[in-house]
Amino acid sequence: MVNSHKSITGFSKLSKRGKIKWIVENFFKDPKAVTRELTSYWHSNEDQQKILDGFSENTITNFPMPYGVAPNFVINGETYCVPMVIEESSVVAAASNAAKFWMDRGGFKTTVLCTQKIGQLHFLWKGPKELLTGNFEAIKGQLLKSAKSLTKNMEGRGGGITNIELIDKTSDLEDLYQLQCYFETCDSMGANFINSVLEKFGSELGSFIQVTPRFKEHSEGFEVIMAILSNYTPECVVRAKVSCHVDQLEGVSNHFNGQEFATRFKTAVDIARIDPYRATTHNKGIFNGIDAVVLATGNDFRAIEACGHSYASKDGQYRSLSYCSIENDIFRFWLEVPLAVGTVGGLTSLHPIAKRSLELLGSPSASELMQIIAATGLAQNFGAVRSLVTTGIQRGHMRMHLMNILHQLEATEKEVKRALVHFNTEIVSFVSVRNFLDSGRQIKK
Ligand code: MEV
């Protein structure tokens, strides 16, 4: 049964206060307190708030996330302080530690392998296949000509449409064909550009079929299903790597020498190459770093994640995105990941803090940003796997977790100090920390 007081028509037309009023009265026990709390996150500057509201719909407040920085990232000899938006404790600390560690060992070396993006026009064609394939060069020429007004600016910046292919998908789905289109979008992520061009191609192909002799008698059998970019960009890939002599890994662990550490580390990465269960968690660690920078720079983390995971399955099995080798005592650790990001357009130039993030990074091109993001992903992966094969992950995590619980329980500075010593050897849980604080507070009474 529909709960009538919880549904509404015309919600989007209400003012922001009106929206909050309806929400707090229908969903919360303490409307006044919730209203105060929600409105307390409104930006103090009305113009800035308008910008934020403009990114979405039905906005009632802002959702704050921590914005941290990881300094000391040396990438191809340049030093960066990397902005990271993430809500998980120890991610920024791990990135900073790994950055510092590799700064002393030559830093990260990164290379953009390719920057091509893909879009598809999916259409049905019931006419003879040869009519399409035999005339495809002419069709292609006409499509390219029709999109000139859309591509002119991008071409001026050195980009545009790089190729169009006709793909026959009829063996998978009846009458289905695709135009697989390739794009260079320079410093923009390019979603709007690509989608506009593809939609133009759809209408142009329809017109071509309707007016061209031999095609027009089959025009009833032509139907555009959809025109949309693909977030799978296996030809927009960056590589980040670190390397050093195994002797330089001496001291990473109290229990293992450099050679032993390197071997354990490589085995952990190899496990993630062969086992999808481990690979998923391993790659999640990589995306802890990647997503944090993608978010901080106003890029689309859903697109980046979706693409990264497809890429991790490119040979038919889901595998780690990073690799490790030890040859002649040289430890090498590297990551290859597709990253379709932009540094102009979209949120990157509208979100006030995303703009600052890019400034902090020295106003990088999209290719430079790809390299910074990949290095952060690799640093994160190094930090996580290093912990896993040495102390275990809980040690670092639990310290942060402990701090969060202490904060939540309003521990004093003195109590925090005592708790840090106590929980060095004890298991951290909300209950154990509360009991610890309670017993101390009891004694005081
Ligand atoms: C936690 O957010 C990420 C890790 O699980 C990654 C990994 O296991 O490699 C620590």
Side-chain angles (χ1 to χ4, degrees):
M1 247 242 312
V2 176
N3 207 338
S4 62
H5 73 278
K6 291 196 172 173
S7 59
I8 183 172
T9 39
F11 180 74
S12 64
K13 308 237 160 30
L14 295 176
S15 68
K16 197 186 270 190
R17 282 202 185 272
K19 287 186 181 92
I20 291 184
K21 186 169 180 297
W22 181 77
I23 285 169
V24 296
E25 282 172 0
N26 289 291
F27 296 87
F28 290 92
K29 289 196 188 75
D30 187 349
K32 270 196 185 146
V34 178
T35 303
R36 259 198 316 276
E37 202 170 319
L38 290 176
T39 52
S40 74
Y41 289 103
W42 286 2
H43 202 292
S44 55
N45 178 323
E46 260 181 50
D47 292 337
Q48 292 290 327
Q49 186 57 54
K50 272 203 188 118
I51 294 177
L52 296 177
D53 289 341
F55 297 151
S56 187
E57 301 80 33
N58 287 349
T59 53
I60 55 170
T61 189
N62 304 310
F63 182 93
M65 287 269 280
Y67 181 97
V69 295
N72 300 320
F73 262 91
V74 175
I75 305 171
N76 299 339
E78 281 283 326
T79 307
Y80 295 90
C81 180
V82 177
M84 300 178 79
V85 172
I86 185 145
E87 85 299 354
E88 185 177 327
S89 34
S90 59
V91 168
V92 177
S96 304
N97 287 340
K100 181 83 171 45
F101 181 87
W102 286 107
M103 180 169 85
D104 301 333
R105 289 161 182 79
F108 295 82
K109 304 280 183 300
T110 56
T111 320
V112 171
L113 304 178
C114 41
T115 57
Q116 192 159 248
K117 287 157 193 164
I118 291 171
Q120 297 173 312
L121 180 79
H122 307 267
F123 64 96
L124 303 181
W125 171 248
K126 295 184 198 297
K129 176 184 166 182
E130 305 68 48
L131 213 48
L132 284 182
T133 50
N135 293 284
F136 191 61
E137 279 313 303
I139 293 173
K140 199 162 134 179
Q142 179 143 343
L143 293 177
L144 289 172
K145 204 163 129 212
S146 75
K148 269 282 163 232
S149 63
L150 295 170
T151 57
K152 198 165 164 257
N153 273 347
M154 192 60 87
E155 280 163 5
R157 290 193 264 143
I161 305 161
T162 52
N163 198 12
I164 310 175
E165 285 170 0
L166 176 67
I167 314 246
D168 178 355
K169 285 281 187 189
T170 52
S171 54
D172 295 321
L173 212 57
E174 204 180 354
D175 301 328
L176 180 69
Y177 291 84
Q178 293 168 333
L179 290 183
Q180 178 114 323
C181 308
Y182 298 87
F183 300 87
E184 178 51 65
T185 61
C186 307
D187 285 336
S188 65
M189 192 266 190
N192 280 333
F193 168 70
I194 294 174
N195 290 334
S196 302
V197 169
L198 292 170
E199 287 187 5
K200 179 76 192 160
F201 282 177
S203 59
E204 187 63 22
L205 188 55
S207 312
F208 175 88
I209 286 168
Q210 253 167 17
V211 301
T212 310
R214 289 196 297 136
F215 278 85
K216 59 179 172 198
E217 68 226 58
H218 302 286
S219 62
E220 296 268 294
F222 171 78
E223 186 181 344
V224 170
I225 299 296
M226 59 187 161
I228 184 73
L229 92 169
S230 171
N231 284 122
Y232 185 42
T233 56
E235 288 166 37
C236 183
V237 177
V238 56
R239 182 190 299 140
K241 71 174 192 223
V242 287
S243 65
C244 68
H245 194 278
V246 289
D247 289 350
Q248 288 179 283
L249 297 171
E250 216 59 57
V252 171
S253 154
N254 293 334
H255 295 100
F256 306 107
N257 67 27
Q259 179 74 55
E260 286 165 343
F261 167 77
T263 309
R264 285 176 66 77
F265 190 99
K266 176 174 156 31
T267 306
V269 177
D270 289 347
I271 293 170
R273 295 285 314 149
I274 54 119
D275 173 25
Y277 286 93
R278 174 56 204 150
T280 306
T281 320
H282 181 97
N283 289 343
K284 190 273 186 182
I286 294 173
F287 280 103
N288 274 346
I290 290 182
D291 283 359
V293 191
V294 167
L295 255 173
T297 55
N299 276 285
D300 181 345
F301 62 93
R302 286 88 58 211
I304 297 293
E305 283 256 359
C307 182
H309 296 300
S310 298
Y311 192 74
S313 322
K314 65 181 185 311
D315 69 6
Q317 184 188 314
Y318 188 89
R319 297 180 191 282
S320 122
L321 289 164
S322 62
Y323 306 76
C324 184
S325 72
I326 308 166
E327 278 162 27
N328 302 324
D329 289 337
I330 301 297
F331 169 86
R332 289 191 179 84
F333 179 46
W334 71 99
L335 165 73
E336 248 178 56
V337 63
L339 288 174
V341 291
T343 55
V344 299
L347 220 61
T348 58
S349 18
L350 289 173
H351 193 289
I353 306 294
K355 276 198 281 193
R356 291 295 180 204
S357 295
L358 291 168
E359 195 179 338
L360 175 65
L361 292 172
S363 306
S365 64
S367 290
E368 283 161 348
L369 184 59
M370 284 169 80
Q371 298 175 70
I372 295 164
I373 295 172
T376 314
L378 188 67
Q380 205 62 52
N381 194 204
F382 179 79
V385 177
R386 174 171 68 176
S387 297
L388 288 170
V389 301
T390 56
T391 57
I393 206 75
Q394 283 310 80
R395 205 181 148 83
H397 265 197
M398 278 306 151
R399 202 186 143 84
M400 300 274 194
H401 187 46
L402 172 62
M403 291 307 291
N404 286 342
I405 297 173
L406 287 169
H407 188 68
Q408 222 174 322
L409 294 171
E410 296 176 355
T412 62
E413 233 175 89
K414 257 198 184 151
E415 284 174 326
V416 169
K417 270 194 192 146
R418 280 184 42 243
L420 284 175
V421 175
H422 177 80
F423 284 101
N424 213 5
T425 50
E426 296 298 317
I427 303 236
V428 176
S429 73
F430 188 83
V431 175
S432 65
V433 179
R434 194 182 51 201
N435 289 345
F436 173 79
L437 289 180
D438 281 352
S439 64
R441 287 168 184 174
Q442 216 71 49
I443 292 165
K444 261 179 136 182
K445 277 184 193 165

